[in-house]
Amino acid sequence: MSAARPETVRPTIRLNPAQWDAFLGSLYERDDRLDLREPGGTYHRDETVDAYVFSGHAEALQSGEVDGDVWGTLEDLEETAQTEEEAWEKIRAFYLDRGCVLLEITGLEEREEWLITERLAERLKVRDFAQGAG
């Protein structure tokens, strides 16, 4: 009998726009902590999470909705690039090499990619939304 292999974590989680909206709607932010809403829980309107609020918990992002400051992030990493595309590739590689996952929102005209920690992805159960459970 062989030992069970640990599950391989997928580096990319893909959500369509409806799944992304459902995911954001499942969250609340209180005292700078992002968490899942509980059925029957009471939440204030100012605890609602949208893309802008979620961006405060991302390591890096490239978004049509929220300015992710690709060039500033690249500078923080002490890297250089000739184009924004090259800059994003370096940023993405940096964070993926450090255990982050890529959250990609598909089906949009503009690129929508978010780099978040694996721990945050697990805690917020974002993979459940990718599988249609959200």
Side-chain angles (χ1 to χ4, degrees):
M1 197 157 132
S2 64
R5 289 183 159 177
E7 181 181 327
T8 302
V9 175
R10 293 175 291 161
T12 301
I13 302 168
R14 289 183 178 86
L15 302 178
N16 65 38
Q19 291 167 323
W20 172 240
D21 289 343
F23 169 66
L24 292 176
S26 75
L27 306 175
Y28 73 98
E29 183 186 57
R30 185 177 292 161
D31 300 326
D32 294 327
R33 178 170 167 80
L34 200 58
D35 222 330
L36 289 168
R37 291 176 180 262
E38 294 291 329
T42 303
Y43 305 95
H44 297 282
R45 190 174 313 147
D46 64 352
E47 295 176 330
T48 300
V49 175
D50 59 11
Y52 180 76
V53 171
F54 189 71
S55 72
H57 300 273
E59 299 301 311
L61 61 114
Q62 189 169 41
S63 170
E65 187 174 352
V66 179
D67 179 12
D69 189 17
V70 170
W71 293 109
T73 302
L74 188 68
E75 185 177 315
D76 290 345
L77 301 180
E78 298 179 357
E79 289 279 355
T80 60
Q82 296 299 311
T83 65
E84 187 169 317
E85 182 66 29
E86 180 186 0
W88 181 244
E89 292 300 322
K90 287 183 177 187
I91 292 166
R92 188 166 48 191
F94 177 88
Y95 283 104
L96 292 176
D97 285 348
R98 284 155 181 80
C100 287
V101 295
L102 181 66
L103 178 56
E104 179 182 9
I105 294 61
T106 62
L108 300 173
E109 288 184 30
E110 293 187 59
R111 175 181 290 176
E112 196 72 32
E113 294 183 345
W114 299 68
L115 289 156
I116 60 174
T117 64
E118 175 65 30
R119 184 173 173 201
L120 183 63
E122 287 177 9
R123 189 168 58 77
L124 299 180
K125 300 181 182 185
V126 67
R127 284 187 176 87
D128 291 354
F129 289 86
Q131 298 168 358

